Amino acid sequence: MRRLILLSCTLLTAAAQAGSMPSLMPSEGKWAITTEMPPEQKAAMGKMDPKAQEMMKQRGMDMDLKAGTMTMTMCLNKQNINRWHEAGEAQHAKAKNDRQCDEPKYDVSGNTMTMDMKCSKPEEMTMHSVFQFNAAHDGYTFEHTMTSPKRQMHMKGSAKKVGSC
């Protein structure tokens, strides 16, 4: 689930790593990114051991099982925008090294950014995301659809700037 929550950050950053920053980006500061959990994820998270829940909180992630959401906080600034997707992914280092994705394609129209990406490793998958920013760029909503030969997953959520870093 954590990797899925970070997908909104990953897709935005992937374009930056490809050498061209999207013209539409969040403003600098501390952000809270809230993702709605599908019922099966909510059930799995409800069975999580208290130690694991505490570790998640220490890494800036908080679950609200009643609401069915998970919120991650992170700081975005000029120094880390190109590494925004790496937050909290240290234990996924091996998987990151094995990941193989094409350069993302994005389109910006007004306050909406659409991104598409295709990956071949560790499994074949396509991702389509739509980000709808507010006028001040201090909040946005997102929807992601990830499709692999085994399944399709749809996620949505929102992000808002909650202060300074």
Side-chain angles (χ1 to χ4, degrees):
M1 179 69 186
R2 190 162 133 178
R3 241 188 319 181
L4 297 176
I5 291 173
L6 292 171
L7 184 60
S8 64
C9 300
T10 302
L11 291 175
L12 283 171
T13 306
Q17 289 180 327
S20 60
M21 295 286 284
S23 59
L24 187 60
M25 292 290 288
S27 61
E28 293 181 29
K30 186 175 183 178
W31 284 77
I33 303 164
T34 301
T35 304
E36 295 176 16
M37 291 188 279
E40 62 275 7
Q41 289 297 144
K42 183 178 170 182
M45 294 298 195
K47 296 176 186 175
M48 206 178 206
D49 126 2
K51 274 187 172 180
Q53 288 180 11
E54 184 56 34
M55 281 179 48
M56 287 178 66
K57 280 188 179 188
Q58 290 174 359
R59 293 184 178 150
M61 301 182 83
D62 192 29
M63 287 186 297
D64 182 341
L65 291 176
K66 279 188 175 183
T69 60
M70 183 175 283
T71 301
M72 180 180 74
T73 56
M74 61 183 349
C75 284
L76 176 62
N77 58 38
K78 289 177 185 174
Q79 291 76 33
N80 70 5
I81 193 167
N82 290 334
R83 296 185 322 274
W84 193 15
H85 69 293
E86 294 175 4
E89 283 195 3
Q91 72 272 28
H92 297 296
K94 184 181 184 310
K96 276 177 55 179
N97 291 336
D98 294 340
R99 193 176 302 154
Q100 192 169 38
C101 298
D102 293 343
E103 184 174 321
K105 293 174 178 43
Y106 62 94
D107 183 53
V108 175
S109 177
N111 281 334
T112 301
M113 180 170 61
T114 305
M115 295 191 70
D116 292 285
M117 183 184 295
K118 183 177 181 179
C119 298
S120 57
K121 288 185 179 181
E123 67 178 339
E124 194 174 303
M125 179 179 14
T126 58
M127 295 173 273
H128 174 75
S129 298
V130 178
F131 299 85
Q132 180 67 52
F133 288 82
N134 66 14
H137 294 192
D138 62 1
Y140 62 89
T141 59
F142 60 87
E143 289 192 45
H144 305 303
T145 302
M146 293 153 284
T147 306
S148 73
K150 296 177 185 174
R151 66 182 168 157
Q152 183 175 49
M153 183 178 290
H154 184 78
M155 292 176 37
K156 63 182 182 174
S158 62
K160 63 182 176 178
K161 185 175 175 181
V162 293
S164 300
C165 294

